[in-house]
Amino acid sequence: MRAIAALWSRELLRFFRDRARVVGALAPPVVFWFLIGSGLGNAFKMPGAAAGVDFLQYFFSGTLVLIVLFTSVFATISIIEDRREGFLQAVLVAPITRLSIVLGKVLGAATVGLIQGSFFLVLTPLSGIDLPLQGFLWAATAMALASLGLTGLGFCIAWKMDSTQGFHAVMNLFLIPMWMLSGALFPHSTAPGWLRFVMSANPVSYAVSALQHSFGMGSVALASLPLCLLVLTGFSVATLGACVWLARDQD
Amino acid sequence: MAGLTKQEGLSSPVSVSGLSYAYPAARGGNSRLALNHLSFDVSAGEMFGVLGPNGGGKSTLFKILATLLRPGSGRVRLFGQDTQAARGTRKRMGVVFQNPSLDLRLTCEENLLYQGRLYGLSGRDLARRVDDALGLYRLEDRRRDWAGSLSGGLRRRLELAKGLIHDPDLLLLDEPTVGLDPGARKELWDHLGRIRGSRKITILLTTHLMDEAERCDRLMLLHEGRLTAEGTPEVLKGEIGGDVITLETEQPDTLLAGVRERFQAEAARLGEHVRIERKQGHSFIPQLVEAFPGLIRSVHLSKPTLEDVFIHHTGRGFWNEGAQQESRGT
C-alpha cells in the first residue's frame, strides 16, 4: 500500500512541477472545442434525435474525453522515461509486487487525467449546459473510469517500448481514431451501419455517452448510463489486468 | 566466518551453483551464452569483486543477482532463498546500478524519501534515515536541489545513499565508479570503507578496473561467461611464478619461439609483445638480452598485477589489444 501511495504521489508531483504539461494537456482540447465547435456548429445542423442540441454543447463531452485521453495517456509516457532514465530499475528490484507498481503508476496517471478533466468540467456553465449536482457526480465517475481504462491502455503500450517517438506514432494511429469514432464529433445514430458497429465496439464511445447522459443529452447517447458505466468498468479491469500480466515478475 | 553464520542460522548472502544464462537468439542468429556454469559463494561481511572485461558476462550476472533476470539454469540463492521467490530477500538487498536510477526531477531529499517508501519505511524512522544519509554523504546543503543539478560524483553518492537507505545486509554495486573522475572515485571508496566499518554488510561489486579489484577481499575473474579464477588478490597474483617480463619486439613470433626453445620459459605473445613469467626475473633479463641480440626493443620487469593474472588465465590481454591468441609454452 505504502509503495502504491509513494508511486502515485510521485506521478502527481512530477505532473504539477511540469507547467508545460499542465497547459499542454488542457489548452489544446479547449481550443479545439471552441474553434472546431464554433466552426462545425454553424456548418451543419445536428440531425434527427440530436436536434435542439447546440454543436458546441454536443462537442463538450467529446472534448472532455479528449482531455482525459491526452492527460492520462501522456502521463504513461513517463514509464518509457523512467525506463530510459533508470528510475524504473530501482523500482523493479524493490520488495514490492508488480501489481503495486502497475497500480501506483496507473492510479497516478489516471488521477492526473481526472484533475485535468475536472478543470474543464468547471467551464460547463460557459457552454450553456445545465449541470446539476447529480450530473456532475455521474460525469466525474465516468471520467474517473475512463481515465483508469485509458491509462491502463497507455501503460500496456508504453511498457514494451523504449522510445517516446514510437509511443506518439501509436497514439496517432490508434488512440486518436478511437477518440474520433467515439461519438465525440458526430452522433452514433447518424453514422452508416458499419461505422456504427465500430463505434459500439469502441470503449471510448461509452465514456462520451456517459458524459452525454450527465449533461442531459441522453438522446444522442449510444447506450444507457448504467450500461456505459458497466462497459467502462469492464474496460478498466481488462486493461489493468493486461498491465499486470505484461509487467509480471522477471520477464 | 562460515561457522559463525551457521550458528546464527543464516545462509551465505550469495550462493551460485551451475548458473548458465543464454540470451535468446536474435533473428537468424544463434542464442548467445552469456554465463557458462558459474559457481561461487560470497560469505557474510565479505567484499567480493567480479572482475572481467566488458562483454564478459558481468552485467548479466548482476541482473540475475538483482532479481531482474531469471537464472537460465542452475541455482542462485540469496540468503538461502531462490531468487524466484525474491520479494523477501529484496528487502535485505541494496542495489546500485551502473546507470543512474535517480529521478532527476525530484530533489535529493525526495529521491531518498521515495526510495525508503518503496522499502516499506515511513514516518519518523524514514525522516531520520534520510537526515542521516544526507549528513553521511555530505549532501546536506543540496537537500532541496534537483538531483538533476548534481555533478556526476554527487549523483553517485546520492545513488549509494539511496541503495543503503533501508540498511541492507547485502549491497550489489555494478561498476560503481564508472564515469567518475579520480577524486570522486577515491571519495566513493572512502564511503564504502566507512560503511563497512560502521556495520556488518556484504558487498558484491562488478568492475573492469584493476585497482578496484585490488581492494576486494576476494575476487573472481569472469571471462566469456566462465569463472576463470577465484581467490584473494594476493593468492591470485601468487599463482604467477615470480615476476613478469614483457619484451617489446618487431618479430614477436620469432622471439617467442626462441624463448621457449632456449629457456623452456612460460611465454606468450600479446600483440607486439612477448610476455614471460619467471622466478628471479631480474637475473633472467641479462640472459635474454644476450641470447637475442637486436631482436628486443625494450624490456619491462614487474611484479604480477591482476592484469597479469587475467592474461595468465585467459591467454589474452584484458583490453583485447593482443587479439592474436597464442598457445601457451611449457
Side-chain angles (χ1 to χ4, degrees), chain B:
Chain B
M1 192 66 88
L4 186 71
T5 55
K6 262 184 203 133
Q7 263 175 11
E8 289 170 350
L10 294 173
S11 311
S12 68
V14 180
S15 169
V16 174
S17 61
L19 171 65
S20 295
Y21 189 88
Y23 284 102
R27 218 181 311 166
N30 292 322
S31 65
R32 192 170 64 78
L33 195 62
L35 296 175
N36 194 348
H37 280 285
L38 218 55
S39 298
F40 66 94
D41 280 275
V42 181
S43 34
E46 204 174 22
M47 183 183 270
F48 186 84
V50 177
L51 174 67
N54 296 327
K58 289 193 308 280
S59 301
T60 308
L61 176 62
F62 190 85
K63 279 185 193 156
I64 291 174
L65 292 176
T67 70
L68 282 178
L69 275 182
R70 242 178 239 280
S73 63
R75 210 161 174 203
V76 178
R77 273 169 295 176
L78 301 171
F79 302 106
Q81 290 213 317
D82 280 315
T83 48
Q84 273 89 343
R87 269 217 301 142
T89 52
R90 280 184 186 165
K91 214 169 193 134
R92 301 179 64 182
M93 229 164 60
V95 186
V96 177
F97 293 94
Q98 183 180 351
N99 301 323
S101 73
L102 301 173
D103 187 333
L104 302 181
R105 274 172 259 182
L106 297 181
T107 65
C108 295
E109 185 181 21
E110 286 164 347
N111 264 294
L112 295 175
L113 283 171
Y114 278 114
Q115 176 78 0
R117 284 185 207 148
L118 292 182
Y119 281 80
L121 304 170
S122 64
R124 224 174 270 165
D125 175 40
L126 177 57
R128 185 187 51 76
R129 282 168 190 258
V130 170
D131 285 343
D132 288 353
L134 289 170
L136 178 65
Y137 295 92
R138 282 183 279 123
L139 290 161
E140 192 56 61
D141 52 332
R142 308 297 298 267
R143 178 186 277 261
R144 293 187 208 296
D145 290 348
W146 301 133
S149 73
L150 300 180
S151 67
L154 290 182
R155 280 187 201 183
R156 267 286 123 163
R157 249 197 261 163
L158 182 58
E159 200 79 59
L160 192 60
K162 198 181 148 183
L164 288 166
I165 194 81
H166 58 293
D167 214 351
D169 298 320
L170 170 65
L171 179 64
L172 302 179
L173 297 166
D174 194 9
E175 301 272 1
T177 62
V178 155
L180 296 189
D181 59 53
R185 199 166 269 188
K186 182 180 175 305
E187 204 168 32
L188 194 89
W189 275 97
D190 290 346
H191 274 296
L192 285 177
R194 226 165 294 154
I195 294 158
R196 292 189 75 197
S198 65
R199 62 172 106 156
K200 188 175 178 189
I201 186 166
T202 310
I203 300 179
L204 182 145
L205 64 93
T206 69
T207 184
H208 65 273
L209 299 173
M210 303 297 163
D211 57 330
E212 272 181 24
E214 287 286 352
R215 294 167 183 255
C216 296
D217 300 326
R218 216 150 52 85
L219 276 180
M220 74 179 223
L221 291 185
L222 193 60
H223 176 60
E224 292 176 348
R226 284 174 209 272
L227 189 156
T228 44
E230 187 187 354
T232 65
E234 285 64 38
V235 166
L236 286 173
K237 286 185 285 188
E239 282 174 12
I240 293 184
D243 302 315
V244 175
I245 303 164
T246 312
L247 307 174
E248 195 186 351
T249 172
E250 269 151 26
Q251 295 160 271
D253 288 326
T254 317
L255 186 61
L256 179 69
V259 169
R260 283 180 180 168
E261 193 182 327
R262 270 195 72 170
F263 298 102
Q264 277 81 45
E266 182 152 338
R269 176 185 162 181
L270 277 174
E272 298 299 292
H273 296 88
V274 170
R275 199 178 150 283
I276 304 165
E277 292 171 10
R278 186 88 172 190
K279 284 203 179 79
Q280 305 290 314
H282 59 277
S283 58
F284 185 50
I285 288 176
Q287 300 177 42
L288 274 173
V289 178
E290 267 172 50
F292 305 104
L295 212 53
I296 299 169
R297 207 190 295 155
S298 76
V299 179
H300 183 78
L301 173 73
S302 61
K303 290 282 163 210
T305 62
L306 285 174
E307 194 166 351
D308 293 311
V309 174
F310 186 85
I311 296 167
H312 177 87
H313 282 281
T314 64
R316 63 167 70 185
F318 191 80
W319 305 104
N320 250 347
E321 62 243 328
Q324 309 97 318
Q325 208 174 338
E326 261 293 337
S327 62
R328 188 164 304 279
T330 44

Side-chain angles (χ1 to χ4, degrees), chain A residues 145-188:
Chain A
L145 287 171
S147 297
L148 213 53
L150 290 171
T151 311
L153 189 63
F155 185 102
C156 293
I157 298 168
W159 184 258
K160 292 278 174 186
M161 285 204 167
D162 48 15
S163 83
T164 50
Q165 287 95 327
F167 190 91
H168 284 283
V170 173
M171 172 99 191
N172 288 335
L173 191 72
F174 187 57
L175 297 174
I176 296 291
M178 268 178 86
W179 173 76
M180 286 178 170
L181 300 179
S182 66
L185 285 167
F186 51 86
H188 176 261

